[in-house]
Amino acid sequence: MLCFLAVAIVCCLDPIPQNPSYHLFADARTLAGMSFFFNVTSNLPFLLIGFWGLRLCLRKEGVVFSSPSASRAWLSLFAGVFAVGLGSAWYHLAPDNERLVWDRLPMTLVFMSFCAMLVSERVSPAGGTVMLILLNGIGIFSVWYWHITDHGGGGDLRPYVLVQFAPMVILPVLLLLFREGPPLFPSLFWLFVWYVLAKVLEHYDIAVYRFTGFVSGHTLKHLAASAAVYCMLAILLARRKMNETIPSPIHENSF
């Protein structure tokens, strides 16, 4: 019901074009021959966290997944995180709408895979498999739709806005309705805190740079967003630690 309501609200809005000023970042300094040096290099944590998460998922390394469906969702999530590091760095080397596509595509994989993971662990493994395919398809479509409409003139970010913000409303409801499942807290709480901080820093890019004189809001946004995805990794690391002390798979709810 909430999904249909969110879609209905977004459809009632006028098309949302990409603001040309989005690419005008406060910190455009060039160091070591690299343009936008700090906005580019601040993506390194995404690569490290993504690689760490992929290793945990592929090698298992003491992590017990509730189902193969959940394992695939976690794998897709960390593949998206690693791709965010690559795509965002590529975009920030020469910011424009063409490169922005490769920044946004992997972000949708992270958002949608996280949703599919929660469905797999809290609702239904079979449903999680379907949702992983469906939601990732919707995420890719949202970026493709903006890209196509942008070439046609104006552009329309409504589907992408839906993909980015609808989970923030739907997921708390899902967690309240389906409390049984592997532990998620307190990491999930801190994930939300860091994500909100990242959005605030992104909005106040110029103001933060003027205040600090050496680091921009957008650079700090990358670091805050990295902290948010580390919270996802911390969920698996906490489960591995618990599994080392409890030999059987953990299915108790921590909500």
Side-chain angles (χ1 to χ4, degrees):
M1 182 64 182
L2 281 175
C3 293
F4 288 115
L5 179 60
V7 171
I9 291 173
V10 170
C11 287
C12 289
L13 299 175
D14 292 330
I16 303 174
Q18 178 64 56
N19 189 338
S21 66
Y22 180 85
H23 308 298
L24 302 178
F25 298 104
D27 189 355
R29 288 174 292 177
T30 297
L31 291 176
M34 182 185 295
S35 302
F36 299 94
F37 179 85
F38 291 101
N39 281 351
V40 173
T41 56
S42 56
N43 285 287
L44 180 60
F46 291 115
L47 296 175
L48 298 176
I49 295 167
F51 178 79
W52 193 353
L54 285 171
R55 177 170 174 161
L56 280 177
C57 293
L58 291 172
R59 295 191 177 185
K60 298 301 188 285
E61 295 189 344
V63 179
V64 176
F65 295 97
S66 60
S67 68
S69 172
S71 177
R72 287 190 292 269
W74 278 108
L75 183 63
S76 176
L77 189 157
F78 287 113
V81 171
F82 187 84
V84 164
L86 295 176
S88 183
W90 171 252
Y91 162 66
H92 283 288
L93 282 169
D96 61 17
N97 280 7
E98 291 297 319
R99 290 190 177 219
L100 187 55
V101 171
W102 303 106
D103 182 25
R104 285 177 169 164
L105 269 176
M107 284 195 285
T108 66
L109 296 182
V110 176
F111 298 142
M112 297 295 94
S113 296
F114 188 73
C115 293
M117 178 274 294
L118 290 179
V119 172
S120 292
E121 293 192 345
R122 295 294 173 115
V123 183
S124 162
T129 298
V130 173
M131 293 304 288
L132 181 63
I133 297 171
L134 178 62
L135 291 177
N136 278 341
I138 291 173
I140 292 170
F141 168 79
S142 71
V143 178
W144 174 84
Y145 176 78
W146 162 67
H147 183 57
I148 294 300
T149 56
D150 184 64
H151 276 268
D156 187 1
L157 284 168
R158 286 179 298 174
Y160 180 73
V161 170
L162 183 66
V163 162
Q164 192 171 28
F165 291 104
M168 304 298 290
V169 177
I170 296 171
L171 293 183
V173 176
L174 185 150
L175 290 169
L176 285 171
L177 293 177
F178 301 93
R179 301 191 177 193
E180 295 297 325
L184 294 169
F185 294 87
S187 293
L188 198 60
F189 168 78
W190 289 110
L191 186 159
F192 176 78
V193 171
W194 282 112
Y195 180 77
V196 171
L197 178 60
K199 300 307 291 184
V200 172
L201 288 168
E202 180 180 37
H203 182 75
Y204 290 104
D205 179 35
I206 297 175
V208 171
Y209 190 53
R210 287 174 177 170
F211 178 76
T212 64
F214 67 93
V215 64
S216 70
H218 202 87
T219 296
L220 292 178
K221 174 247 183 173
H222 287 163
L223 300 180
S226 297
V229 296
Y230 178 79
C231 290
M232 298 177 182
L233 179 66
I235 292 172
L236 293 188
L237 293 175
R239 291 180 188 178
R240 182 178 67 175
K241 185 176 181 179
M242 293 177 70
N243 189 55
E244 289 172 353
T245 57
I246 303 176
S248 59
I250 301 168
H251 296 291
E252 290 187 13
N253 171 40
S254 66
F255 191 86

